[in-house]
Amino acid sequence: MNEQARQYVEEFMSRLIARNPGEPEFHQAVREVAESLAPHIVASPVLLKMKILERIAEPERIVIFRVPWLNDRGEIEINRGYRVQMNSAIGPYKGGIRFHPSVNLSILKFLAFEQTFKNSLTTLPMGGAKGGSDFDPKGKSDNEVMKFCQSFMTELQRHIGQDTDVPAGDIGVGGREIGFLFGQYKRLRDEFSGTLTGKGRDWGGSPLRPEATGYGTCYFAEEMLATRGESLRGKRVCISGSGNVAQYACQKASQLGARVVTLSDSSGFIHDPEGIDAAKLDYVMELKNIYRGRIREYADRYPSATYHPGQRPWGIACDVAMPCATQNELNGDEAQTLVDNGCRCVVEGANMPSTPEAIRIFQQHRLLYAPGKAANAGGVATSGLEMTQNSMRLTWTPEEVDERLHAIMRNIHEVCVRYGTQEDGYVNYVAGANIGGFMKVANAMLAQGCV
Ligand code: GLU
């Protein structure tokens, strides 16, 4: 980065931090993008004059609302609900809903910001958004989750619509929650529409939407490895998380011939050197999705595995690391450990799981490293395909959806290579994704004037 670009980033960031105090995750996500884009922006008088980056970093609209509900003891509980509608330049707002006690404005703004670039990369017409609540589904009964979802949707429904804003799942929001949210939406609005994605297969959902984020992450890894004449076959893979993304990343990586040796949750990780095969993964899916249990129970069930409480899996030697849990779950020290243990490829199923320091280490050591906004875009891409099917009132076969998902991931990889290849031939996937995602949104904003 030249001096002019560096100065542009620093001035831009100090204004952004002053305008958005106390939002470290948002600052982190914006800084990464600003650093990738600065050389192009300072070289483009029109981007500078039209203040495209300044506008992209300012949400179009944020809604914050009270979510009161009655727990099983008949007591009133109060949570806070949010929807950050970041950018609608290339399509209706689109992005997931997260239910987790850590949810706050900083986290949702970073996620909505990332979503804008990710959605643009999919080539589908979707703007960027994110929403959620500090509600913690852990330990709640189905009835309590339903009561909460109904109250949350009672307010949210007036801000969304199939041509306005289309929410979906994220951490803490899966098939069960989408069902409750959709039921209440339909009831209040008296319409059966594609306003939410991630719906059940029999009521408007797309085949392969549950699998799509994890599968897409593996397809992206295959593309990256192919640039060095390699593939997932025979590789040892460390996965963090044990939710939707981790489960289907594990499934697809195994189908492609890899040996997945770890999974985790917020309490610790399991290490199974023999690999988590299809039968073991069935157990994990039942444990997590039906019984809502903890990953520790895996080690009780399978003697080949050990449980490591309070730790993350990055100390386990592997060829490929797939962080599929949450933001900032892999720091600089852990990145160095992965490098020292021979890891060659890091592909993010989660959003912003690697800290800036970790990314620097991966890139310094010339690892194949792909940020979530490129590698995990298969989820929202398949949500886009669900919207298409809803509009047509038709359903494609799983094979058709898989074919399209695969083509979208291949295309995102090509875009990253096109915009991210450095003079020495190293592909900087961060720069590639940021520039590739930005172009379309910026051009649309230029065309649409000062809005
Ligand atoms: N929450 C997912 C993501 O981070 C999916 C969003 C969607 O399907 O709209 O991309």
Side-chain angles (χ1 to χ4, degrees), residues 168-328:
D170 195 79
I171 293 172
V173 178
R176 173 182 64 168
E177 290 75 17
I178 293 292
F180 295 148
L181 291 165
F182 183 76
Q184 183 75 349
Y185 181 83
K186 183 165 63 61
R187 181 181 180 207
L188 292 169
R189 297 278 288 249
D190 196 20
E191 64 176 45
F192 195 113
S193 68
T195 301
L196 288 144
T197 59
K199 301 184 290 298
R201 278 285 291 278
D202 295 333
W203 42 279
S206 173
L208 238 69
R209 177 62 190 88
E211 293 87 345
T213 314
Y215 279 21
T217 303
C218 291
Y219 295 156
F220 200 88
E222 284 285 72
E223 294 299 314
M224 296 170 82
L225 289 163
T227 64
R228 297 194 180 167
E230 296 188 64
S231 75
L232 278 169
R233 184 155 298 283
K235 298 280 189 298
R236 269 168 319 169
V237 178
C238 276
I239 294 182
S240 64
S242 48
N244 167 268
V245 181
Q247 289 171 17
Y248 288 105
C250 178
Q251 183 170 83
K252 185 50 78 178
S254 307
Q255 286 171 2
L256 292 169
R259 185 151 45 101
V260 177
V261 293
T262 66
L263 287 172
S264 71
D265 62 21
S266 57
S267 310
F269 78 92
I270 56 104
H271 177 210
D272 187 344
E274 289 179 7
I276 301 162
D277 60 19
K280 291 170 175 173
L281 183 62
D282 279 348
Y283 165 78
V284 172
M285 289 183 171
E286 195 175 290
L287 171 73
K288 298 296 296 186
N289 309 346
I290 298 172
Y291 298 107
R292 303 194 184 266
R294 305 298 290 168
I295 202 66
R296 146 178 62 75
E297 295 168 56
Y298 181 101
D300 301 334
R301 170 75 182 252
Y302 296 106
S304 56
T306 48
Y307 176 61
H308 306 259
Q311 291 181 49
R312 303 195 279 218
W314 312 126
I316 301 297
C318 63
D319 306 298
V320 177
M322 295 190 186
C324 295
T326 193
Q327 67 274 353
N328 292 328

Side-chain angles (χ1 to χ4, degrees), residues 65-72 77-82 97-101 103 131-137 140-156 171-173 176-177 180-181 184:
F65 50 95
R66 178 168 69 201
V67 189
W69 56 282
L70 286 175
N71 69 21
D72 287 348
E77 300 228 13
I78 299 142
N79 287 99
R80 188 171 292 171
Y82 304 82
I97 292 176
R98 176 176 293 193
F99 291 163
H100 192 269
V103 162
S133 173
D134 58 358
F135 173 74
D136 186 1
K140 303 286 191 301
S141 69
D142 284 350
N143 184 50
E144 289 177 321
V145 170
M146 182 178 74
K147 293 266 194 54
F148 174 80
C149 287
Q150 290 179 341
S151 181
F152 182 84
M153 183 53 83
T154 300
E155 173 59 33
L156 186 68
I171 293 172
V173 178
R176 173 182 64 168
E177 290 75 17
F180 295 148
L181 291 165
Q184 183 75 349

